[in-house]
Amino acid sequence: MRILTVAATIREIQPFMDFIGKNFERDRNEEIFYKDNLQIAVAVTGVGVISTAYHVAGKIALYKPDLCVQVGVAGAFNKELDLGEVVWVKDEMWADWGVEDHTAFTDVFDIGLVHPDEKPFTGKRLVNMFPPASVPPGMKEVSGLTVNTVSGSLPTIEKRSLLKCDVESMEGAAFHYVCLSENCPFLQVRGISNYVEPRNRESWKMAEAVTNINNWLISYLPYHY
């Protein structure tokens, strides 16, 4: 079983890297960690959709994984999610892929540039079509919104809330797009670091979100396959 695990920043995946570095054998030429029949490659893609798409596509071509797993933190529109909670993202959409007409926004689907069901989209969304066997029982399923600028003002939050997504990140849609296009089974898992509200870093639970997402990786992923 070959698993490619990706994160936007080293901070979001460092504890997992430390764990497999101590408990797995490493092929330094291929940057792959081995244990029994399991091979794990870890890639830090950088922040944002362009960097994520570039690195994930390249790593899939290089490693030909059986499963890709993206982990990281996310802000939550859905206040029923707890700060620090770990969730899996079933589907993704872009927040700002379209045109502004004075005060109105129209996405690329509604103006006819892209068909809502043009591969890899399903009804405008990038839906995980591979039933992920690695989702543990009880982990909540959410919808993701990918942004180029993190929501931090009331006007922006009000507009984006209309899209009815539970969480936002800066990479999720790019990851889904590449994996769906390459027909590679995948799973996106996020730790909730903050609620989407006017920017207030004092209320964030970044450390807790990072700890919990890595605890999930360490306790579950290496032993599930």
Side-chain angles (χ1 to χ4, degrees), residues 9-22:
T9 65
I10 188 69
R11 177 184 179 184
E12 291 169 290
I13 202 169
Q14 186 67 66
F16 180 67
M17 292 179 66
D18 292 342
F19 171 81
I20 60 174
K22 294 177 181 177

Side-chain angles (χ1 to χ4, degrees), residues 3 5 10-24 35 38 40 42 69 71 86 134 136 139 189 209-225:
I3 300 177
T5 307
I10 188 69
R11 177 184 179 184
E12 291 169 290
I13 202 169
Q14 186 67 66
F16 180 67
M17 292 179 66
D18 292 342
F19 171 81
I20 60 174
K22 294 177 181 177
N23 293 278
F24 283 59
K35 188 172 185 179
L38 178 62
I40 298 178
V42 179
V69 179
V71 297
V86 178
S134 53
M139 183 180 285
V189 180
V210 170
T211 295
N212 291 343
I213 196 70
N214 279 272
N215 284 345
W216 172 76
L217 278 173
I218 291 169
S219 65
Y220 192 80
L221 194 59
Y223 305 107
H224 188 73
Y225 296 96

Side-chain angles (χ1 to χ4, degrees), residues 32-164:
I32 296 177
F33 297 87
Y34 296 86
K35 188 172 185 179
D36 299 324
N37 295 321
L38 178 62
Q39 302 176 17
I40 298 178
V42 179
V44 177
T45 64
V47 174
V49 295
I50 296 175
S51 182
T52 298
Y54 172 79
H55 286 286
V56 173
K59 296 301 183 184
I60 288 177
L62 178 64
Y63 295 129
K64 297 177 174 55
D66 300 299
L67 175 70
C68 288
V69 179
Q70 182 186 52
V71 297
V73 299
F77 289 99
N78 185 349
K79 297 296 179 65
E80 293 183 1
L81 300 175
D82 295 326
L83 295 184
E85 185 173 359
V86 178
V87 298
W88 80 279
V89 184
K90 171 67 175 179
D91 58 83
E92 280 278 356
M93 65 187 305
W94 266 288
D96 49 8
W97 196 26
V99 300
E100 280 190 325
D101 186 350
H102 299 281
T103 59
F105 173 80
T106 307
D107 65 34
V108 295
F109 305 101
D110 288 341
I111 61 177
L113 294 179
V114 181
H115 191 278
D117 292 311
E118 179 180 318
K119 187 180 178 181
F121 294 96
T122 302
K124 298 186 179 183
R125 293 178 181 262
L126 295 157
V127 182
N128 190 338
M129 307 302 288
F130 304 94
S134 53
V135 176
M139 183 180 285
K140 291 178 183 176
E141 172 188 308
V142 301
S143 292
L145 185 68
T146 295
V147 300
N148 287 306
T149 302
V150 172
S151 304
S153 68
L154 280 177
T156 299
I157 294 167
E158 289 172 355
K159 288 180 180 179
R160 292 175 175 175
S161 295
L162 297 175
L163 297 172
K164 305 299 183 183

